[in-house]
């Protein structure tokens, strides 16, 4: 990959193999994390619909008598 100037920013073109692996399309959001001085990771940011589906998959997995206690959660 080569870094190129794009307006006041720098840009990198993603190889086709990365685009296919992450199932990226124009307009998708991605997250880039620097793993160390010489490597980075690219992840596709989940869409709102994908996040809602993940939450729906949790339905029924929490016991019906569970009560969230804010004080207990914030104890140090």
């Amino acid at each position: 990959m080569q870094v190129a100037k794009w307006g006041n920013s720098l840009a990198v073109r993603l190889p086709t193999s990365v685009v296919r692996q992450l199932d990226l399309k124009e307009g998708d959001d991605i997250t880039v994390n620097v793993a160390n001085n010489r490597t980075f990771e690219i992840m596709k940011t989940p869409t709102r619909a994908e996040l809602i589906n993940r939450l729906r998959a949790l339905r029924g997995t929490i016991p019906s008598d569970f009560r969230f206690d804010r004080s207990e959660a914030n104890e140090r």
Side-chain angles (χ1 to χ4, degrees):
M1 293 187 296
Q2 184 178 21
V3 178
K5 186 83 169 158
W6 189 0
N8 291 331
S9 302
L10 297 176
V12 176
R13 287 187 181 181
L14 298 175
T16 303
S17 60
V18 172
V19 173
R20 284 187 187 141
Q21 183 71 31
L22 296 177
D23 190 29
L24 294 174
K25 295 172 234 28
E26 185 176 350
D28 284 347
D29 288 325
I30 62 170
T31 302
V32 178
N33 293 318
V34 177
N36 60 48
N37 289 343
R38 303 198 46 93
T39 61
F40 62 91
E41 303 169 332
I42 301 172
M43 294 174 284
K44 183 177 180 180
T45 306
T47 64
R48 175 175 280 193
E50 291 169 337
L51 292 173
I52 289 171
N53 286 336
R54 287 186 198 173
L55 288 172
R56 286 186 177 143
L58 296 174
R59 279 188 185 161
T61 60
I62 298 174
S64 60
D65 61 342
F66 175 80
R67 296 289 177 252
F68 177 77
D69 184 340
R70 184 179 301 223
S71 297
E72 181 181 327
N74 289 312
E75 284 180 357
R76 292 180 190 220

